[in-house]
Amino acid sequence: MQREFQFYIVPTPIGNMSDITLRAIEVLKNVDLIACEDTRTTQNILNHYDIKTKTVSYHKYNEKSKVDELISLLNTGKKIALVSDAGTPMICDPGAIILKALRENNIKTTSLAGPCAVTTFLSQIPRDNEIFTFVGFFPKTTQKSQELLLNHSKTNLVFYESPNRIIDTLKLIKQVRGNVKIALGRELTKLFEEIVIDNIDNIIEHFKDGIKGEIVCMVYQAEDGDIDIITKISKLKTKGFKSKEIATILSTLYDLNKNDVYKLTM
Ligand code: SAM
């Protein structure tokens, strides 16, 4: 027997239309309204599963203005489900604003288990340990990217990236961390799904004719020998160089932000 909540967070397929749970279908059929990023995208799923529930748009551009309307409906006893275009709401998708408001209004919520690109990816990527840092989309600026790569060399770093940027991103990772091992997942659960695990040079070579589709990527945790900046800092330190000098040397040699390198020396 399904316990009744007022607000459901419902994951939807990330590619393969069959990746939806029985519970998700049941909830989407039984709520009064489905709040979705793009009503047309969600309608495809609803049609596929013969779900007749009404939809309302709820996306990052109207998130704030829609909250009051949705809360009023919930206060009249209506039940609402939140979905995003694909995967799990709140994972690089809208939801944060309404969830905060729901908590403030003591409205009961529950989240259904289901598809999500990052977990679908990680569940097929061999790793030596359970530790990973998921940062959502890879930063857009070089400085933020360098900072991220330098500060997270000790864990597996997982991120979403667009096909237009991924090759440049891989080149930047190589600049900061060397020709390290990467896992790249493309078009997961879809017809042309692909997983490539290799060093950066080989991955760039693999995609030399272009890369399309949706991508999740992981930079493997630094291994002895492949990390450059961190090892180089400690070598320079043992030779008696001061933090400021190390920052100047390494930022000049590797074209890095001096402050980021400096912070790593502390
Ligand atoms: N909420 C979604 C989730 O649960 O994964 C993520 C939404 S985010 C706006 C979209 C990004 O997720 C894409 O740009 C891509 O990086 C990643 N993604 C979504 N579907 C994917 C798939 N089938 N294969 C690989 N990556 C995917």
Side-chain angles (χ1 to χ4, degrees), residues 66-109:
K66 280 280 171 183
V67 166
D68 288 347
E69 189 184 319
L70 295 178
I71 299 272
S72 311
L73 283 170
L74 291 160
N75 281 333
T76 64
K78 299 280 187 225
K79 295 189 192 321
I80 298 179
L82 174 71
V83 300
S84 56
D85 281 351
T88 302
M90 292 286 291
I91 305 299
C92 291
D93 271 336
I97 292 175
I98 186 138
L99 281 166
K100 191 161 175 268
L102 293 168
R103 292 235 145 236
E104 284 161 6
N105 284 271
N106 288 320
I107 293 171
K108 281 188 185 153
T109 69

Side-chain angles (χ1 to χ4, degrees), residues 172-215:
L172 185 111
I173 296 168
K174 186 179 168 195
Q175 215 181 47
V176 180
R177 299 267 302 264
N179 191 24
V180 287
K181 188 168 152 192
I182 299 279
L184 188 148
R186 196 174 68 81
E187 295 286 86
L188 301 175
T189 78
K190 303 185 198 178
L191 194 58
F192 296 107
E193 165 167 359
E194 183 180 26
I195 296 282
V196 188
I197 302 179
D198 212 323
N199 66 41
I200 294 181
D201 284 344
N202 290 341
I203 292 193
I204 291 177
E205 173 65 18
H206 179 82
F207 292 113
K208 64 177 184 305
D209 296 329
I211 178 166
K212 286 189 184 145
E214 299 195 275
I215 293 162

Side-chain angles (χ1 to χ4, degrees), residues 24 45 47 87 95 105 123 135 143 154 161 167 178 180 187 200 202 209-210 215 218 228 232 237 250:
I45 300 167
N47 292 344
N105 284 271
S123 62
V135 295
Q143 190 184 334
K154 300 265 163 63
E161 183 55 290
I167 299 297
V180 287
E187 295 286 86
I200 294 181
N202 290 341
D209 296 329
I215 293 162
M218 184 179 95
D228 334 310
K232 285 178 172 94
K237 271 190 172 171
L250 294 180

Side-chain angles (χ1 to χ4, degrees), residues 14 91-92 116-125 132-138 157-163 166 169-170 173 182-189 194-197 203 207 211-219:
I14 58 166
I91 305 299
C92 291
C116 177
V118 66
T119 50
T120 305
F121 170 71
L122 283 174
S123 62
Q124 57 181 317
I125 302 301
F132 67 87
T133 305
F134 174 60
V135 295
F137 281 98
F138 199 77
L157 181 69
V158 186
F159 58 88
Y160 290 160
E161 183 55 290
S162 81
I166 187 68
T169 297
L170 291 174
I173 296 168
I182 299 279
L184 188 148
R186 196 174 68 81
E187 295 286 86
L188 301 175
T189 78
E194 183 180 26
I195 296 282
V196 188
I197 302 179
I203 292 193
F207 292 113
I211 178 166
K212 286 189 184 145
E214 299 195 275
I215 293 162
V216 192
C217 198
M218 184 179 95
V219 186

